[in-house]
Amino acid sequence: MKEPIVIHTEEDYDRAQQRVAELNAGPDSAEKDRELQAIADAMLAFELRRDDADD
């Protein structure tokens, strides 16, 4: 993972969820943990932006 993970659309969010499932199916590693954390951060940022837009 060399680029930051950014989620802009619901489609991106869905792909991120799919990637989390793929990663969780694989073996544990430091790289896996870093990618899962980056995806979680990106998903949270997207959810917060979406919630702010709804308010």
Side-chain angles (χ1 to χ4, degrees):
M1 181 181 69
K2 299 183 192 272
E3 300 176 17
I5 298 173
V6 181
I7 299 174
H8 295 287
T9 65
E10 290 288 339
E11 186 175 282
D12 292 341
Y13 190 87
D14 291 342
R15 279 196 300 267
Q17 288 179 313
Q18 290 173 349
R19 181 62 181 149
V20 167
E22 292 169 4
L23 288 168
N24 284 329
D28 290 339
S29 70
E31 180 63 27
K32 173 184 169 178
D33 291 341
R34 283 191 295 272
E35 187 171 350
L36 284 170
Q37 185 59 52
I39 292 170
D41 292 345
M43 292 174 83
L44 177 60
F46 175 77
E47 292 166 1
L48 292 172
R49 285 192 311 270
R50 184 178 56 194
D51 289 347
D52 284 346
D54 290 344
D55 289 343

